[in-house]
Each structure stands twice: as C-alpha cells, then as structure tokens.
Amino acid sequence: MRALFFAIGQAFSSFWRRSFVTFLSIITITIAMVILGAFLLISLNLRGAIGSLKRQVQLEFFLKDGTTKADASSLIEAIKGERGVESVEFVTAERAKIEFIDEFGEELLEGLKRNPFPPSIRVELAKDLTMGEAVDSLAAKFKDDKLVEELSAPNRIAHSLAKASRISLILTGLWGLVLLIAATTIITNTVKLAISQRGDSIRVMQLVGASRNFVRLPFLLEGLIHGLISGSLAWAVLWGLSEAAGYVLPSIIPIPLPWNISIVLLGGAFGAIGSIIALRRYLNY
Amino acid sequence: MVISAINIGKSYLEGTGSRLIVLEDLSIDVEGGKVIAITGESGVGKSTLLHILGLLDTVDSGRIIFNGEDVSSLNDSQLSRIRNSDFGFIFQFHYLLPEFDALENVALPALLAGMSRPEAESRAKELLSAVGVAERAGHFPNALSGGEQQRVALARALINNPRLVLADEPTGNLDPKNEDKLIDLLFGLTREFGMAVVLATHNMAIARRADQSYLLREKHLEEVIC
Ligand SMILES: Nc1ncnc2c1ncn2[C@@H]1O[C@H](COP(=O)(O)OP(=O)(O)OP(=O)(O)O)[C@@H](O)[C@H]1O
Ligand SMILES: [Mg+2]
C-alpha cells in the first residue's frame, strides 16, 4: 500500500517536472485519438444511414398486365430459391392501387378509367448481405423473364453508402493501427526520458532495497496516467464534436457509451504498452 | 561470515565487441564486524567488486555466498530484501533522492522494510544526530553541502542495522577535513553497532585504519600487511 502511494507520488512528480514534454505528447495523442473517433463517428453514421435505407429497399419486378398469382408461381418459387432473398410477395394490381391511395390520396387517380398499376413481385433482401451483389445477381437473372415488364432497381444510394461505409471502416482500422504505433512510441519516449532523468534515483531505490517491480511501478503509472489523460481528453473533444454536429444534423448517431469508455481505456492501454516497452529497453538492471 | 566471494570472474562486453576481463578467480571473505579496505588504481575494478558484493551485479563465474547460501539461486525480490535489511551503501556520488528532505531520505530504507512512519522518522532523527546533521533534517539535498550529503547517506546506510556497509570512495568528493569527519563517523558507528565494512578508497592513510587491507591489481586481490 505504502509502495503504491510512493509510486503514485513519483509518477506525478516526474510528470510535473517535464510538464512541457508531457503536455506536447498528451496533445499529440489526443489529436490522433480524436481523428480515430471522428472516423468511428462517420462509419457509425454511414452504417446507420444504410440501415434505414435498407429497410426501405426492396427489389420489385413489375409484371405484364393481367398476370395472376398462378401465372407467376413458378417465377416466385425461382426467386425464393435465390441466395439473399428473405421473402417474396405477390402484389396484385388491386393492392398496389390501395397502397397508392393510402399513401398519396385518391385525387391523383381520379378520372382514370382503369387501374394503372401492374401486378408485381416484391422481393425483400436479407439485411446482412451486401447490397450490391444480391441486387445485381437477382436483377440480372430475372429481368428478362417473359412475365417481367420492368424492374425497379433498389436505391443505388444504399449501394454507394455501403461502399463508403466499408472504406470508412477500413480507414478507421488503418488509422487505429497508425495510432497504436504512434501513441505507443510517443509514450515510450516520454517514459524513456523519465527513466534517464531519474537515473540516479533509480540507483538509490536499488541501493536501499526496492525491488525491480517497485522501481518500475512509478514509470508504468506515469505512462498509464499519460494515456488515460489523452484518452479522456479525446473522449471530451469527441463528445463536444458530436454534440455540435447534433445541432446541424439532429439525426446524427452519437458514439455509444461503451465505445466512449473504450476510447479512455484505449488511451490507458497505449500508456501501459508504451511504458512497458520503455522499461524493458531502457531500465537495464 | 557475512559474505564470501569464491573464485569469481567478471568481464564487461565492450563497445568493440571484445570482452574486458575485470576480475578473475578472485576470492574474499567478509567477516562480521570487520573493516576491510580495498585500494587500487583507478579502473582496476574496485567498484565492480563492491557492486558484486552488494548483490547489485552478477558474476560470470565463481560463487557469492551470503548467509551460507549461493545468491545465484535468489530472485530479484529476495535480493532486494537482502540489500534492504542486511546491507547499507554509501557511494562517491551522494545518491540522495532530490524530492525528499534529509530526514525522509534516511527513513526510506526503514519504510521500505515495513517500519511505521513515526518509528522510521524517530530512528532517522537519532541517526542524523549521530552523524551531526540533526539541524539539517528538513533540508532537501540541493540545500546540503557535499559533506552533509555524505553524512546523510551514511545515516541512511545504517538505519536498518545492516550487517555490512559497502562504501565506494565515500570521501572522493570531500575536502580533507570533511573526509576525516566522515571516516571517523563511518568507522566509529559501524564498530559501535558491530557492522562489517568494505571500503574502496584511494587514500592509503584511511586504508591503514582498517582491520584488513587489500590491493586490487591485475584482476586479483593482494592482502596488504602493514
Ligand atoms: N557497465 C560497464 N560496462 C563496461 N565496462 C565497464 C562497466 N563498468 C565498469 N567497466 C569497466 O571496468 C573496469 C573497472 O571499473 P570500476 O568502476 O570497477 O573501476 P574502479 O576501480 O572502481 O575505478 P575508480 O577508482 O576510477 O572508481 C573499468 O575499465 C571500467 O571502464
Ligand atoms: Mg570506482
């Protein structure tokens, strides 16, 4: 217990002694983590947008006038057998008309003698399938069927959003990797500086019989505090950013709490890894 | 016997990749309560030997026996405990912790040994009086003279009642007056408490005051009869 207090005291005192270097490195790591968080925020929101688009997206094959469910049954069965197809529904011309009236009112159809809506087959796609593939293969396969008059292509925006989200996730991952290396290196270097500045004190601790772990603890704590402060700052900045973005785009999805906590912990992890590397390399006795 | 070195060898890897042999087939017994002086030219390995005897460094060959046990079988925390409770160190460069005052520096080994703070501090006060710097107890090392710092370091070396005090040119940075004062205190207090001393020094007059005196030369110890 006493050892722990001593170690914490040492960690803080050496923190203040090199306050400028410490400050710079904390700021650098914070900025890097904020960038990571921003990527995360973007990926998250892209995915959210795709999710809501996906719900609206169906593939709809419009059939020739007068086609009955019985006529289309073999086509329906064939579509059902396709990969990525969740459900298939035959929509009669009558139903299409009712749906239209429900949505837009009767006025638009006034004066029309006959029902302008063709019967159709609506295909619901499984959500976990990537948009593009499933749509393209289904469309290609059935659009030339003799019963099919026209194909309503699904929202192409969803397709490109899916692509953007994938790219943004990859970028997040890559940046995360860069961050891991950069933050760890920065912390390793500040702890290395701490070790070299405290060379004599380390010697003293060894002389008076402090164990190796006891001597290491303050440095480990210093790196850890370092990382945790950076992580907390990054979290605060990101919170501010997503609040501010919320004013502009009210529908923005904020970073969920567990992820926020992870950002702080991630900072702590960088700190711990950085100091362990520094201790293994530079505290040689 | 407090500690024995038996046929030890020690070398360092030099920057060029070759090995510099410092000690070879060297043996020494440190008896309880005895004062041993080690002299020798600069660079012969006096500090190296003291570090090995203080369990701060390891040997390439041979054995170090402490309390009848080969220390190579001990782990870091066991070695630390021995350094804390059985050894006291004073080195040329007064290694005091700059962020602690004199009293706290002296109390540190006792605190590490698990003594309560009031107890450790009262013992530290007694020792600071014994070495004549009681009135400087609240000063930080940078406000102490070289002689005062070494006396604080001596007090720290004695606080856990060690069986052996290792002193590596403790007066190397002191003027003759302070040198005499420190050596008088070192010899006087360790004799009073029955502690053994291994002292590395360049000063032959000091070496002659020891119970045994050795000259370290060409990797070996030669006993000096005076
Ligand atoms: N860590 C080390 N790495 C490489 N060589 C070392 C190391 N420590 C000491 N040496 C070399 O070992 C030899 C003995 O050094 P040591 O410090 O023991 O001598 P010394 O007798 O104490 O000298 P002095 O009287 O100047 O203090 C020297 O040549 C020194 O350069
Ligand atoms: Mg030396």
Side-chain angles (χ1 to χ4, degrees), chain A:
Chain A
M1 211 49 217
R2 209 184 337 252
L4 194 62
F5 280 127
F6 178 83
I8 293 170
Q10 293 272 297
F12 273 109
S13 94
S14 91
F15 224 83
W16 297 128
R17 202 126 22 85
R18 291 182 319 284
S19 47
F20 186 65
V21 177
T22 305
F23 172 79
L24 276 189
S25 82
I26 284 181
I27 293 300
T28 313
I29 297 167
T30 301
I31 292 172
M33 289 187 79
V34 166
I35 295 174
L36 180 74
F39 273 128
L40 210 72
L41 200 65
I42 293 170
S43 311
L44 223 62
N45 277 280
L46 281 175
R47 282 174 63 123
I50 295 160
S52 57
L53 275 174
K54 263 186 184 170
R55 252 168 274 127
Q56 299 161 16
V57 167
Q58 305 147 325
L59 200 56
E60 192 160 3
F61 294 97
F62 294 104
L63 306 177
K64 298 209 160 86
D65 267 344
T67 312
T68 64
K69 190 169 182 178
D71 298 335
S73 64
S74 63
L75 179 59
I76 290 172
E77 284 313 310
I79 295 174
K80 264 188 188 156
E82 285 299 308
R83 197 175 64 90
V85 171
E86 196 139 279
S87 66
V88 181
E89 191 187 10
F90 182 82
V91 180
T92 61
E94 204 46 41
R95 242 255 341 266
K97 185 179 172 187
I98 292 167
E99 281 177 5
F100 183 87
I101 292 171
D102 278 350
E103 198 163 349
F104 303 105
E106 218 160 348
E107 297 79 16
L108 285 171
L109 295 180
E110 265 169 25
L112 286 179
K113 290 229 169 56
R114 51 180 282 272
N115 183 351
F117 299 100
S120 67
I121 296 172
R122 268 185 209 155
V123 182
E124 203 80 53
L125 298 169
K127 286 212 175 65
D128 54 331
L129 265 185
T130 33
M131 295 301 333
E133 289 174 32
V135 169
D136 292 345
S137 77
L138 268 180
K141 212 155 183 178
F142 298 106
K143 76 178 191 311
D144 294 328
D145 191 280
K146 61 184 187 318
L147 287 176
V148 175
E149 177 90 3
E150 211 187 321
L151 169 73
S152 126
N155 205 328
R156 284 274 144 188
I157 297 171
H159 194 162
S160 45
L161 276 183
K163 214 169 180 175
S165 132
R166 229 171 306 147
I167 291 172
S168 133
L169 267 181
I170 290 171
L171 283 179
T172 309
L174 282 179
W175 185 259
L177 207 68
V178 171
L179 178 64
L180 174 76
I181 295 167
T184 307
T185 310
I186 290 170
I187 292 181
T188 299
N189 276 311
T190 49
V191 173
K192 172 189 169 186
L193 188 65
I195 292 172
S196 70
Q197 286 183 346
R198 298 186 54 77
D200 282 354
S201 297
I202 290 170
R203 196 73 182 150
V204 173
M205 295 312 294
Q206 203 186 352
L207 292 185
V208 298
S211 67
R212 196 172 299 168
N213 288 337
F214 187 99
V215 171
R216 288 173 173 211
L217 195 58
F219 298 107
L220 192 66
L221 280 179
E222 182 172 346
L224 193 67
I225 295 169
H226 210 117
L228 285 176
I229 291 179
S230 304
S232 310
L233 280 177
W235 166 73
V237 171
L238 284 169
W239 178 81
L241 278 183
S242 74
E243 281 294 294
Y247 282 109
V248 188
L249 296 164
S251 63
I252 198 158
I253 306 168
I255 299 179
L257 186 66
W259 293 43
N260 281 332
I261 296 171
S262 315
I263 288 177
V264 178
L265 294 182
L266 194 66
F270 290 153
I273 296 170
S275 17
I276 288 169
I277 293 175
L279 286 171
R280 305 196 81 179
R281 260 196 225 154
Y282 306 111
L283 191 63
N284 40 2
Y285 80 78

Side-chain angles (χ1 to χ4, degrees), chain B residues 46-48 92 168-169:
Chain B
K46 301 184 294 296
S47 299
T48 302
Q92 174 173 4
D168 190 1
E169 297 183 43

